[in-house]
Amino acid sequence: MTRFGYFASLEEFSPTECLEQAVLAEQTGFDSVWVNDHFHPWFDHHSDGTPANGGNCWSWLPAALERTEEIEIGTGVTAILNRYHPANVAHRLATLLELAPDRVFLGIGTGEALNERPLGNPWPDYSERARRTAEAIRIIRALFEAEFVDYDGQFWSLDGANLYTGPDDAPPIHVAGGGSTTARMAGDLGDGFVTVYEDTETVTEELFPAVERGVEKSDRNESPADVEKTVHIHCSYAQTKQQATEPCLPWRLTLLPMVFEQDIADPRYLQAHGDLLGTEALEEAFVITTDPEDLIAVTEEYVDCGFDHIVFQSSSPDQAAFCDVVAEEVMPSFS
């Protein structure tokens, strides 16, 4: 059965609004809530000129878990490069799992400059970021599975590190990316693979085969079916097309490859470049609609492609109306 996730954006909404959305997501039948882990937001201001938000996910997660009862909640996604030591992340996860057993997951990715540069950290090239990500996963798993761990890695070390509180198993770790390297890493080291609105041809011809190659070398996953496959879809639903489009406009910058590849960390600069794009490109990449059938159609496309978990990031002006539409129109079509 297809699982559905809700993305709580601490860049687009305040921490309080995101808490309300998490509660709403559980009440309307979503299986998971994903929350971004960024220092700087992607954009500087909303379409109406009000400032963007920049809440901290690790401060937000305990409150979200406390206000909900069963829904799974985790990061979408965390980059463990320079600003975090993997042991600090493992420590946080272990505490959250003690508070909310079996309800926490970690999404992990190779990151963006906006998380590192503002803190004075270097922005490594992709090869190093991928190697750091793989090493971070190994360290987190080691800390959950063993006691007083010594680790001498390329980027980090442990000297008799021990998690006194928390379960014996790491939470589900979902590796996010849009290329074959991270997909292969997900098959080898992860419990899941996450990608963002990729076209289905790329998914079936490049990404899923890379997951399979990772599984072949894995000592933890026996088949590709062991790796949950999640797609993140940015969408907006409203009564009119203009109402649905307006909140999405600041996100145009995410359609520019340079914002992921280059050493740029100033949301003002990023947004200025995104604003040069027309709405046509946005409407092509996002699901901006007044018709629930469009949400059903994009879900069907990705489910048929082989995804197990559909995560909606909704910029809808009325989040309750969006959740109701997903619960009443979309979910029943895939139960």
Side-chain angles (χ1 to χ4, degrees):
M1 187 172 70
T2 303
R3 283 161 44 84
F4 287 90
Y6 181 98
F7 194 94
S9 173
L10 286 170
E11 324 179 82
E12 187 167 357
F13 304 101
S14 72
T16 299
E17 289 173 313
C18 286
L19 285 178
E20 294 167 353
Q21 292 167 9
V23 172
L24 181 63
E26 180 169 64
Q27 290 174 342
T28 50
F30 283 84
D31 301 288
S32 64
V33 172
W34 301 62
V35 63
N36 61 287
D37 182 2
H38 287 167
F39 184 80
H40 273 177
W42 278 116
F43 53 86
D44 176 71
H45 56 272
H46 298 281
S47 298
D48 62 4
T50 57
N53 291 281
N56 181 278
C57 74
W58 298 104
S59 300
W60 181 87
L61 280 163
L65 289 164
E66 179 66 21
R67 291 200 186 190
T68 54
E69 296 181 2
E70 297 181 354
I71 198 166
E72 298 173 18
I73 307 179
T75 60
V77 297
T78 294
I80 305 177
L81 300 178
N82 286 292
R83 66 178 177 140
Y84 294 141
H85 189 295
N88 293 132
V89 175
H91 195 189
R92 293 169 180 175
L93 291 168
T95 300
L96 290 172
L97 285 164
E98 180 75 10
L99 295 169
D102 301 320
R103 293 183 55 207
V104 178
F105 61 86
L106 174 69
I108 188 170
T110 54
E112 298 89 20
L114 52 81
N115 293 323
E116 302 295 330
R117 276 299 188 187
L119 306 185
N121 294 320
W123 173 236
D125 62 25
Y126 177 75
S127 175
E128 179 178 331
R129 300 200 316 269
R131 286 180 282 123
R132 282 181 177 270
T133 302
E135 186 170 303
I137 295 171
R138 293 188 177 99
I139 289 173
I140 290 170
R141 291 203 186 280
L143 285 166
F144 275 93
E145 294 167 3
E147 297 181 347
F148 298 98
V149 179
D150 294 324
Y151 190 96
D152 185 16
Q154 182 180 1
F155 304 105
W156 295 286
S157 61
L158 300 175
D159 184 3
N162 187 51
L163 295 177
Y164 276 84
T165 296
D168 294 333
D169 295 314
I173 298 176
H174 301 266
V175 182
S180 58
T181 299
T182 46
R184 188 169 60 249
M185 190 190 306
D188 180 15
L189 302 175
D191 301 288
F193 170 64
V194 186
T195 195
V196 179
Y197 51 73
E198 288 286 352
D199 64 88
T200 55
E201 183 176 346
T202 299
V203 170
T204 56
E205 295 185 4
E206 178 182 344
L207 299 182
F208 283 176
V211 172
E212 293 175 7
R213 291 195 297 273
V215 169
E216 290 172 2
K217 63 172 289 192
S218 176
D219 59 4
R220 59 184 316 279
N221 293 313
E222 297 181 357
S223 77
D226 295 332
V227 182
E228 184 175 60
K229 299 167 186 68
T230 300
V231 64
H232 175 136
I233 302 170
H234 202 142
C235 58
S236 184
Y237 169 81
Q239 294 301 307
T240 71
K241 194 67 173 288
Q242 181 177 351
Q243 290 172 333
T245 303
E246 190 73 17
C248 295
L249 293 177
W251 292 104
R252 284 176 290 183
L253 66 95
T254 61
L255 304 180
L256 300 172
M258 76 167 197
V259 307
F260 300 99
E261 299 167 357
Q262 296 184 18
D263 188 357
I264 305 171
D266 188 335
R268 298 167 298 181
Y269 181 90
L270 293 170
Q271 186 163 12
H273 280 71
D275 288 348
L276 298 176
L277 295 176
T279 59
E280 297 82 5
L282 191 66
E283 291 171 356
E284 208 170 291
F286 293 7
V287 183
I288 301 174
T289 186
T290 63
D291 187 353
E293 288 297 326
D294 290 332
L295 295 170
I296 295 172
V298 71
T299 302
E300 184 174 29
E301 179 182 9
Y302 283 114
V303 169
D304 289 347
C305 184
F307 283 99
D308 312 295
H309 200 153
I310 308 296
V311 177
F312 289 121
Q313 179 172 348
S314 167
S315 292
S316 308
D318 185 339
Q319 294 296 326
F322 169 78
C323 287
D324 286 342
V325 162
V326 173
E328 296 168 9
E329 305 285 345
V330 181
M331 291 180 186
S333 300
F334 301 93
S335 59

